[in-house]
Amino acid sequence: MSDADRWQRFHPLTPLLKGGVATVAVIGWVVGQQVDRVFGAAREDPTRGNWGPAAALVGLVVVVVVIAAWATWRVSRFRLGDANLEVHTGLVFRQQRRVRYDRIQAVDVVRPLLARLVGLSEVRVESGGGSDSNVQLAFLTDATARGLRDELLTLAGHGDEAPAARGPEDGIPSREQAHGDTVLRIPNARLVQSALYSVEAVLVVLAVPTLALAVLLEWPAVLTAVGPVTLAVGARKVGQLVRWFNFHVTDSGESLRVRHGLTDLRTSSVPRHRIQAVQLTQGPTWRLPGWWRLDVNIAGVGGGEEGTATTVMPVGTFAEAERLLAILVPGVDRDIVAEAATSTGPGPSRRFVASPRRARRLDPVGWGRSGYAVTPRAVVTRAGAVVRRVQVVPHARIQSMTVSQGPWERRLDLAVVRLVSTVGAVSPLVEHLSTGDALTLFGEQTARSAAARTAVDPSEDRPEAPPARSPDGS
Amino acid sequence: MLRQTWGMTADTGADIGDVGLFGEGGARWQPVSPRLATARCIVLWGCLLFVATVAVVLAVTVDRWWWWAAAAGALALGVWATWLVRRQVAAITWAELPEDLVIRTGRLFRRLVSIPYGRLQYVDLQSGPLQRRLGLASLEMHTASPESSGVIPGLPVRVAEDLRERLTVRGESQRAGL
């Protein structure tokens, strides 16, 4: 196959959809004018009888816009090269972008509302290095988009991990795994309920009678002070709800696929071998129903748009969290994680190393929860009495470690240990350990992480690195 | 103190378990050059002497007693800061362990950072004009997380270059990526 015929164009409706909002507005305006005319409410003719020139001008603008859009569409194209995804866009400001397959971190299929109506999708390719390095392939038919996503994931996978390094389930080619088992499906009723069980909901509930009263008693000051805030808080919560609607997670072997959204259907994939740390959180209002939220750090995917790519469970029971956790961090000790959710001090199994009692001077409420436990695969940290938090960091994924101690901590002989992960929603740390315990963790964890790093086949992470180690290490 | 061998480092004697937050421990701690204190003091005194000179000039021309107080204050601040800088520089030490580079900093706010060689993405060698005059350079270690960067300021240029070389070699041989 020659190079030329591997170039692909986007769907011809692309320019129309990209100018989607503008198109809808213009059509709406024209329709509105016609309706006015039909019902006889039209004001005087704005062209003052000069119908011909006005029509010609409008026609000219339309023709120019259409030609420009068509030309832009003609020059925009992409192809899957030997080692890169290549994308050319722009008519006047031309841009050529290449993304190496082995730098691809995640591939999402996004379907904005208008595109969804005509059965089109956008493929979003995220590579390491912030939002500038992302590539949007818009728009393609749904089937093409899904195929392209699978193909890119396969190419990225081949570039990134030797096929032999994977588990025994490898017989199945990845494209057939693409539509895997549903691991988690969150009922919409629960999403609504969880939105009600929040501080924002309480505020809105308190604010509504106040506003009603203000209207009745004619207090404009109260209305202007409370009204916009209530509206903003409410709208934000509703926006979140709309985004998380129809949330479900499927397991396709190499990655988890997260789909959600009421108006904009979003599909993001979470490559399993890039997961760096996992965090479970539970606010005070979720204590009663026993709900948790699950966030992950993924290498190369920073905290971009508000938790979209990194929240794998917006609200779920502990059992559901455990199920996801078993996939995200295989072989994690479930008992310890369950214990970390609620225990204080050394915990029922006495495997937790917790803050000493003197730490209550620095953290009078949460000191008893602060602590960590070591499992064969990962460190499990525990914190927070009001907002409970559990973090799981695989030994092999710790980037570096820091022990720090300020003057107040030194007087109490306490120290903080940070298990530095990549950028993301989770920043693992254990606060207020006794200095001795902190140094034990620091020292032992260094050795554990080193052992775990060498145990992991280097080819799984980075094939270009030679697996051979020089014997003397220098 | 806490000697834990995990089979990885048994042959080399030094182990990170020996690393104390403060004090000697078993690792071979290396100080940074005391000339770093000189460099920092030159900058410090440059600023303070300028302030003091302005204050003295004003005291003579405007003849208000508080300008003399301001000049004296600037000098006193300089003396205290000099003492502080010397203590801070003396507190910066680093050690090369079999698997990690460890850096200790601070007296009041103490910090102990360990960066595994295999996690290093790249190493920066930096040297400003003043540092260059004094034969010093700073070495900055970067991993995949911006949070975990470690800096060793004020190494003699030769030591910094050698260390960078060793770090690069070890980084290659122990590479773990993400």
Side-chain angles (χ1 to χ4, degrees):
Chain A
M1 212 175 356
S2 76
D3 272 2
D5 54 25
R6 285 196 302 185
W7 284 104
Q8 295 180 53
R9 288 220 177 83
F10 298 105
H11 196 275
L13 281 176
T14 301
L16 197 66
L17 285 170
K18 283 208 166 160
V21 179
T23 316
V24 168
V26 167
I27 291 173
W29 183 77
V30 168
V31 170
Q33 291 294 304
Q34 294 311 312
V35 168
D36 282 356
R37 181 182 301 274
V38 167
F39 289 100
R43 291 147 296 138
E44 58 185 284
D45 185 1
T47 59
R48 292 165 205 262
N50 299 327
W51 260 97
L57 197 67
V58 169
L60 190 69
V61 169
V62 167
V63 166
V64 167
V65 166
V66 165
I67 288 179
W70 179 79
T72 311
W73 171 76
R74 280 284 297 185
V75 297
S76 303
R77 57 208 168 145
F78 67 96
R79 73 166 174 181
L80 302 175
D82 294 329
N84 300 289
L85 165 69
E86 297 169 45
V87 188
H88 291 192
T89 50
L91 181 65
V92 182
F93 296 98
R94 294 202 174 174
Q95 191 184 36
Q96 301 190 359
R97 183 166 278 184
R98 290 178 167 209
V99 183
R100 281 183 52 171
Y101 295 135
D102 57 4
R103 292 286 174 265
I104 291 177
Q105 307 280 6
V107 186
D108 295 352
V109 174
V110 186
R111 301 168 73 192
L113 187 58
L114 276 176
R116 187 131 58 115
L117 291 177
V118 288
L120 296 183
S121 299
E122 174 186 336
V123 176
R124 212 169 271 184
V125 182
E126 290 180 24
S127 52
S131 55
D132 284 349
S133 60
N134 293 352
V135 175
Q136 289 165 14
L137 303 171
F139 285 91
L140 302 163
T141 62
D142 289 344
T144 322
R146 272 201 302 274
L148 185 65
R149 191 225 3 239
D150 292 343
E151 206 164 334
L152 280 172
L153 280 177
T154 315
L155 287 167
H158 275 310
D160 229 312
E161 47 180 318
R166 272 181 253 130
E169 75 271 24
D170 272 347
I172 321 153
S174 64
R175 209 162 308 181
E176 274 156 46
Q177 291 175 356
H179 310 286
D181 320 329
T182 297
V183 188
L184 173 73
R185 184 183 292 276
I186 296 176
N188 288 332
R190 191 202 293 163
L191 282 165
V192 174
Q193 210 181 338
S194 76
L196 294 177
Y197 275 54
S198 65
V199 183
E200 290 99 323
V202 173
L203 284 180
V204 171
V205 165
L206 287 179
V208 166
T210 316
L211 287 173
L213 211 64
V215 170
L216 283 178
L217 301 178
E218 294 177 13
W219 293 337
V222 174
L223 217 57
T224 48
V226 182
V229 176
T230 312
L231 213 62
V233 168
R236 197 172 152 256
K237 209 66 200 170
V238 170
Q240 260 177 28
L241 200 59
V242 166
R243 211 177 53 225
W244 293 132
F245 233 65
N246 299 324
F247 194 96
H248 71 279
V249 182
T250 49
D251 180 7
S252 63
E254 290 158 33
S255 56
L256 287 185
R257 193 152 300 156
V258 182
R259 298 156 133 274
H260 55 90
L262 183 64
T263 53
D264 290 7
L265 186 65
R266 235 167 199 290
T267 310
S268 24
S269 45
V270 180
R272 282 165 63 172
H273 66 287
R274 292 208 182 272
I275 286 165
Q276 306 286 310
V278 184
Q279 175 172 284
L280 280 157
T281 26
Q282 181 187 55
T285 47
W286 286 8
R287 186 83 45 95
L288 202 61
W291 289 329
W292 294 82
R293 175 190 167 110
L294 197 70
D295 293 294
V296 291
N297 274 6
I298 308 167
V301 181
E305 306 141 64
E306 226 189 290
T308 339
T310 56
T311 303
V312 291
M313 184 177 84
V315 49
T317 63
F318 196 77
E320 286 165 338
E322 271 188 319
R323 202 159 64 222
L324 275 179
L325 203 59
I327 298 166
L328 296 170
V329 189
V332 72
D333 190 333
R334 288 181 174 214
D335 299 337
I336 285 293
V337 174
E339 226 174 84
T342 53
S343 67
T344 55
S349 67
R350 313 208 64 77
R351 280 176 63 186
F352 278 88
V353 176
S355 291
R357 198 173 155 69
R358 58 182 185 273
R360 73 186 186 284
R361 295 236 215 120
L362 291 178
D363 185 1
V365 182
W367 67 274
R369 288 267 303 149
S370 180
Y372 75 94
V374 174
T375 71
R377 286 290 310 271
V379 187
V380 178
T381 76
R382 183 188 73 179
V386 180
V387 178
R388 290 170 169 171
R389 193 191 73 200
V390 177
Q391 293 164 332
V392 181
V393 196
H395 297 315
R397 298 304 190 198
I398 293 172
Q399 290 291 326
S400 69
M401 272 189 295
T402 307
V403 181
S404 51
Q405 187 183 56
W408 301 276
E409 283 162 326
R410 194 159 90 244
R411 288 194 60 178
L412 295 167
D413 193 27
L414 300 171
V416 180
V417 182
R418 261 167 242 277
L419 310 165
V420 179
S421 177
T422 55
V423 191
V426 190
S427 30
L429 82 167
V430 192
E431 281 191 301
H432 310 320
L433 287 174
S434 76
T435 309
D437 287 341
L439 288 175
T440 311
L441 173 60
F442 184 80
E444 292 182 358
Q445 191 56 41
T446 312
R448 271 194 295 266
S449 294
R453 277 198 306 276
T454 34
V456 173
D457 185 354
S459 63
E460 192 180 307
D461 265 340
R462 208 162 270 232
E464 64 264 42
R469 297 179 54 176
S470 57
D472 56 353
S474 59
Chain B
M1 45 187 296
L2 309 147
R3 181 171 283 274
Q4 289 283 342
T5 42
W6 287 73
M8 302 293 304
T9 55
D11 50 337
T12 52
D15 187 284
I16 198 164
D18 296 328
V19 175
L21 199 56
F22 199 63
E24 280 315 298
R28 253 186 61 217
W29 289 104
Q30 317 237 27
V32 298
S33 168
R35 273 176 310 202
L36 177 64
T38 317
R40 288 184 175 177
C41 283
I42 288 174
V43 176
L44 178 81
W45 279 106
C47 297
L48 283 176
L49 283 178
F50 175 73
V51 172
T53 315
V54 170
V56 166
V57 168
L58 281 170
V60 170
T61 53
V62 186
D63 195 22
R64 290 281 154 100
W65 64 269
W66 62 72
W67 290 115
W68 289 111
L75 292 181
L77 186 70
V79 170
W80 176 74
T82 307
W83 172 79
L84 193 71
V85 164
R86 292 203 171 277
R87 269 173 65 88
Q88 274 176 345
V89 168
I92 304 171
T93 50
W94 55 278
E96 284 173 85
L97 300 183
E99 301 274 351
D100 314 72
L101 182 74
V102 194
I103 308 165
R104 292 189 302 191
T105 50
R107 290 235 184 217
L108 197 57
F109 291 89
R110 290 172 181 177
R111 231 167 97 86
L112 174 65
V113 183
S114 93
I115 302 166
Y117 302 128
R119 289 278 182 235
L120 286 174
Q121 301 273 13
Y122 56 99
V123 180
D124 278 346
L125 189 71
Q126 289 171 339
S127 186
L130 182 62
Q131 288 212 343
R132 236 182 349 258
R133 287 288 297 259
L134 292 163
L136 297 178
S138 298
L139 209 58
E140 198 170 336
M141 272 66 63
H142 296 269
T143 68
S145 168
E147 214 187 310
S148 67
S149 65
V151 188
I152 312 180
L155 288 171
V157 172
R158 173 65 65 79
V159 175
E161 279 170 355
D162 289 352
L163 180 58
R164 178 177 63 171
E165 210 51 46
R166 285 198 300 277
L167 289 176
T168 314
V169 171
R170 287 182 183 172
E172 283 302 318
S173 65
Q174 301 185 8
R175 169 144 240 161
L178 293 167

